[in-house]
Amino acid sequence: MNAKKTYLSRYRHSLPVFFPNKRRLLKHMDQYLEDYLEAHSNASIEDILTELGTPEDAAKLYLEDNFHDYISYTKKQHMLVIIMIVVVFLFMIYGTYNYIQNHWIATIVYETAVEGTYPPDAE
């Protein structure tokens, strides 16, 4: 694996899984590495690490600078999950109510009608 792919892979794995604009950030880093490797054609991964630092440190620095964006994104994700849980819960309540209204009452009326009638030969 070449140096650019190695560095980008480590950088991608250093960022949180759900990170706002992660693709855009990876594209910028890819372009930056492409420019660096164009200027230094024989650069190895050690040269890149010396020049740019470790991918983990670069990701940590970016996260520290953009911590507010990450927190607001995380809050939005949590609110979305809570809203989806509430909607599913409301559908479950509605489905249960609908089932009770359509099946239990019909069963009670049918059983009462059946118990009140007798077969003709029972006399």
Side-chain angles (χ1 to χ4, degrees), residues 25-91:
L25 179 61
L26 290 172
K27 283 182 184 179
H28 286 299
M29 181 58 78
D30 183 38
Q31 184 61 44
Y32 185 77
L33 288 172
E34 189 71 35
D35 294 341
Y36 177 77
L37 291 173
E38 188 175 299
H40 305 88
S41 59
N42 295 330
S44 65
I45 188 69
E46 289 81 19
D47 297 334
I48 295 174
L49 291 174
T50 303
E51 182 69 28
L52 303 177
T54 65
E56 293 80 14
D57 290 340
K60 182 180 175 185
L61 181 65
Y62 185 82
L63 287 175
E64 288 173 358
D65 290 343
N66 299 303
F67 186 70
H68 178 67
D69 294 340
Y70 179 65
I71 293 298
S72 64
Y73 178 78
T74 305
K75 285 181 182 179
K76 288 177 187 176
Q77 293 292 69
H78 288 149
M79 287 302 297
L80 181 64
V81 168
I82 289 171
I83 289 170
M84 289 188 329
I85 289 172
V86 167
V87 167
V88 167
F89 185 70
L90 290 175
F91 273 118

Side-chain angles (χ1 to χ4, degrees), residues 86-102:
V86 167
V87 167
V88 167
F89 185 70
L90 290 175
F91 273 118
M92 288 173 50
I93 289 174
Y94 174 74
T96 304
Y97 175 77
N98 193 20
Y99 179 79
I100 290 171
Q101 288 296 325
N102 292 332

